[in-house]
Amino acid sequence: MNSDINLLLNNKVSWLADCGPSEDIAISSRIRLARNLEGVPFPPHATPAQLNEIINTVEMAVQRNKELEPFLKFKIGETSDLDKMVMFERRLISREFMEKSDPGELLVTADESFGIMVNEEDHLRMQFMRSGFQLKNVWQEINRIDDILSNQLPYVFNKDLGFLTSCPTNVGTGIRASVMLHLPGLVLSNQINAVIQGVSKLGLVVRGIFGEGTQNLGNLYQVSNQSTLGESEEQIIERLGNVITQIINHEKNARRNLLETNQPFLLNHVGRAYGTLRHAYILSSAEALDSLSALRLGVDMGMFSSVDIHTVNELFIIINPAHLQKYAGKELDSSERDIYRAVLVRERLKASDRGK
Amino acid sequence: MICEICNQNPATIHIQEIINGQKKVLHICADCASKKSTENPLLQGFNVAEMLYNLSGQFGAGDVQPSQQEPSEIELICPGCGWHSEDLKRTGKLGCQQCYTTFKEVLEKALKTMHHGTLHVGKSPASMGGDDTDSKKVAELMSLQKELEDLVQREEYEKAAIVRDKINLLKQELKK
């Protein structure tokens, strides 16, 4: 039977709520590992019976292990579309996983820091997330769990090619390390494209968080490694970490520069955004994300001592469609969501004000 | 096929974009592609399937380096899972672990362009080396379960009963 989705919704998401290093610019660090089990085709080519067998095997492995925290379980076929969207918005499952019709399961710790998607593109896609910029720490955690699981589960491993994966882009270490960065300074000063191009040349990937393709709302970017073979996990993380440190420095410079050379512009940008969030009665997702980004910039720069950064971070998640509908306790169409989104944002910011 | 942007050069690069949930396919030439990738730095998703078979369609990491190499069209079928080279071409993915041997040659070329090296230098499973680890037992359990399924399908119930007993025994060992 599935666990209760409210266990997730009532959570102060740990990768948002805990304090992490450099967290004004780096929101969270995440590492995922792709693993497959011996003798069964990769999920896209396996039969439903085989996929169920994988689910049972993985469940058995995590339950038997006393060193691992207890897991919440969500069978994807027994989960409503809305609940799947909630998991997607909380970054626990991928879009592909959400849309699949074959047997799959999400196993996730109660604090949401560690999760396993069973039968996504690979038999196991496990991820560990922490707030702020702490890839090395995240690697230690997930490496430990991976070792424990590899004592229980027969991973497909080849001494030349490492861990074999459904897609050859993940073969070897099966690692994808990423850091979510908030880069409004680079966007406002029109430097973001140069930075993205520079990073791409180093063989790393930059993606917008909201909306695939060109749109990037909320000035949130995810920087991750692309290559998974030919380097050790530590080397991959080191290289990625060095580049991220540089991006963070660029962002800090851009912010300082805006403050020194164009203070009225910056104050106006932030102040208007706060006004919108505090007083709007209809708030589209795009406007909310843009305004939240500006407010977050203002909070980081010490302009709003009354607003707690974690309130802002949390709003980035709960203004998304599935979360809104969960909080409202009913289905909402797009225009109803815009109204309820405004209510929720006003309430949260007001509460944050009172709290001080 | 002619480039959809300049309508002059042959289209050698095929881009899939997803904008607002709608999939768009663009067939363009290398010149227009490099222009497009400058305008649009977030556009750097690359299609693995094309990379594998049509190296001229390759563009990773934001810059475009088309090559004139002809795709190698060898028909292969994986004995492990029946995955066909067409499937690989279509999806860019493999069917099972054995596919890595079946499609070795095609993969070698692609891996070089995708990754920083072609040899794994990262961690190995912690269980490697030991003979009596749980993971080996789980592997055995899984293959027995498969055998059981086959036997039941072929209605060989006597043999199935023996396999079922083995499975139960293993499960008990694993529960300890």
Side-chain angles (χ1 to χ4, degrees), chain B residues 1 11 35 49 62 71 84-85 97 104 106 120 122 148 158 163 170 172-173:
Chain B
M1 197 177 287
K35 271 185 218 143
H84 195 279
S85 30
Q97 59 196 94
K104 193 164 186 271
V106 188
H120 177 63
L148 180 63
E158 277 173 31
V163 173
L170 256 178
Q172 269 175 8
E173 273 180 44

Side-chain angles (χ1 to χ4, degrees), chain A residues 59-74:
Chain A
E59 265 190 24
M60 199 170 72
V62 299
Q63 277 164 3
R64 288 177 38 191
N65 210 298
K66 303 284 178 296
E67 287 171 84
L68 297 176
E69 274 184 65
F71 286 84
L72 306 176
K73 282 192 295 190
F74 298 97

Side-chain angles (χ1 to χ4, degrees), chain B residues 6 51 56 102:
Chain B
C6 63
M51 204 153 134
S56 68
T102 313

Side-chain angles (χ1 to χ4, degrees), chain B residues 2-176:
Chain B
I2 301 291
C3 171
E4 289 177 14
I5 293 180
C6 63
N7 285 321
Q8 285 178 350
N9 304 330
T12 50
I13 288 161
H14 314 281
I15 302 176
Q16 275 191 8
E17 274 183 296
I18 298 168
I19 296 173
N20 298 331
Q22 286 201 316
K23 202 193 233 173
K24 257 178 60 185
V25 185
L26 255 186
H27 306 281
I28 54 181
C29 66
D31 285 352
C32 293
S34 66
K35 271 185 218 143
K36 201 167 160 55
S37 73
T38 338
E39 282 165 17
N40 202 343
L42 279 176
L43 187 106
Q44 40 175 279
F46 58 102
N47 185 325
V48 185
E50 283 171 21
M51 204 153 134
L52 286 166
Y53 269 86
N54 181 2
L55 287 170
S56 68
Q58 157 213 341
F59 69 110
D63 56 348
V64 181
Q65 296 164 330
S67 85
Q68 294 306 313
Q69 205 167 335
E70 280 297 305
S72 51
E73 294 286 353
I74 328 151
E75 276 207 6
L76 292 167
I77 295 170
C78 177
C81 67
W83 202 244
H84 195 279
S85 30
E86 276 297 317
D87 295 320
L88 176 58
K89 191 174 169 180
R90 188 172 44 83
T91 62
K93 289 178 186 151
L94 299 159
C96 73
Q97 59 196 94
Q98 215 178 314
C99 287
Y100 276 90
T101 320
T102 313
F103 304 105
K104 193 164 186 271
E105 278 181 32
V106 188
L107 280 171
E108 263 171 6
K109 245 185 257 169
L111 287 175
K112 247 182 234 166
T113 57
M114 281 171 198
H115 299 291
H116 276 236
T118 51
L119 267 187
H120 177 63
V121 291
K123 73 182 281 190
S124 1
S127 62
M128 278 180 76
D131 277 338
D132 203 31
T133 59
D134 282 353
S135 70
K136 294 242 161 67
K137 283 184 191 154
V138 174
E140 198 185 331
L141 181 64
M142 286 167 69
S143 84
L144 285 173
Q145 280 168 334
K146 202 171 153 197
E147 202 181 326
L148 180 63
E149 250 172 61
D150 289 348
L151 289 170
V152 171
Q153 250 178 20
R154 293 203 301 267
E155 301 183 8
E156 296 186 33
Y157 296 114
E158 277 173 31
K159 283 183 191 164
I162 299 171
V163 173
R164 185 202 55 209
D165 291 347
K166 277 191 201 164
I167 289 175
N168 287 338
L169 203 72
L170 256 178
K171 275 191 176 164
Q172 269 175 8
E173 273 180 44
L174 279 164
K175 281 206 180 102
K176 269 175 214 160

Side-chain angles (χ1 to χ4, degrees), chain A residues 39-86:
Chain A
V40 178
F42 301 138
H45 195 43
T47 63
Q50 287 171 322
L51 294 172
N52 279 321
E53 191 186 311
I54 297 281
I55 293 176
N56 291 337
T57 308
V58 176
E59 265 190 24
M60 199 170 72
V62 299
Q63 277 164 3
R64 288 177 38 191
N65 210 298
K66 303 284 178 296
E67 287 171 84
L68 297 176
E69 274 184 65
F71 286 84
L72 306 176
K73 282 192 295 190
F74 298 97
K75 284 228 167 30
I76 214 72
E78 294 165 19
T79 306
S80 70
D81 286 349
L82 185 61
D83 288 359
K84 282 190 271 188
M85 271 297 282
V86 167

Side-chain angles (χ1 to χ4, degrees), chain A residues 30-209:
Chain A
R30 166 163 77 163
I31 293 181
R32 77 103 164 104
L33 297 175
R35 300 287 186 253
N36 287 284
L37 305 188
E38 283 282 347
V40 178
F42 301 138
H45 195 43
T47 63
Q50 287 171 322
L51 294 172
N52 279 321
E53 191 186 311
I54 297 281
I55 293 176
N56 291 337
T57 308
V58 176
E59 265 190 24
M60 199 170 72
V62 299
Q63 277 164 3
R64 288 177 38 191
N65 210 298
K66 303 284 178 296
E67 287 171 84
L68 297 176
E69 274 184 65
F71 286 84
L72 306 176
K73 282 192 295 190
F74 298 97
K75 284 228 167 30
I76 214 72
E78 294 165 19
T79 306
S80 70
D81 286 349
L82 185 61
D83 288 359
K84 282 190 271 188
M85 271 297 282
V86 167
M87 294 170 194
F88 173 72
E89 289 171 2
R90 293 174 95 80
R91 301 161 61 77
L92 295 172
I93 62 174
S94 63
R95 190 175 287 279
E96 292 71 28
F97 197 64
M98 185 166 69
E99 285 162 2
K100 73 182 278 136
S101 51
D102 289 330
E105 182 170 75
L106 169 71
L107 295 163
V108 61
T109 56
D111 70 355
E112 298 176 51
S113 59
F114 178 73
I116 308 174
M117 278 187 281
V118 186
N119 296 335
E120 205 244 26
E121 186 182 289
D122 295 298
H123 294 146
L124 286 90
R125 281 283 177 101
M126 54 182 118
Q127 71 167 19
F128 201 97
M129 259 194 296
R130 277 264 160 90
S131 65
F133 179 27
Q134 38 183 343
L135 282 175
K136 282 186 182 156
N137 185 307
V138 169
W139 166 242
Q140 275 175 2
E141 294 286 348
I142 199 166
N143 188 26
R144 185 183 68 88
I145 299 172
D146 183 47
D147 280 347
I148 295 173
L149 289 177
S150 79
N151 279 319
Q152 317 271 338
L153 297 168
Y155 286 163
V156 180
F157 183 81
N158 169 306
K159 74 174 171 36
D160 293 330
L161 286 178
F163 296 96
L164 302 185
T165 51
S166 171
C167 186
T169 48
N170 297 313
V171 77
T173 54
I175 196 173
R176 185 80 73 236
S178 63
V179 176
M180 201 207 288
L181 297 170
H182 183 227
L183 305 174
L186 291 172
V187 174
L188 285 172
S189 58
N190 291 321
Q191 297 179 67
I192 191 72
N193 284 357
V195 169
I196 292 175
Q197 274 171 5
V199 172
S200 308
K201 291 215 172 80
L202 297 168
L204 301 172
V205 182
V206 188
R207 283 195 197 91
I209 302 284

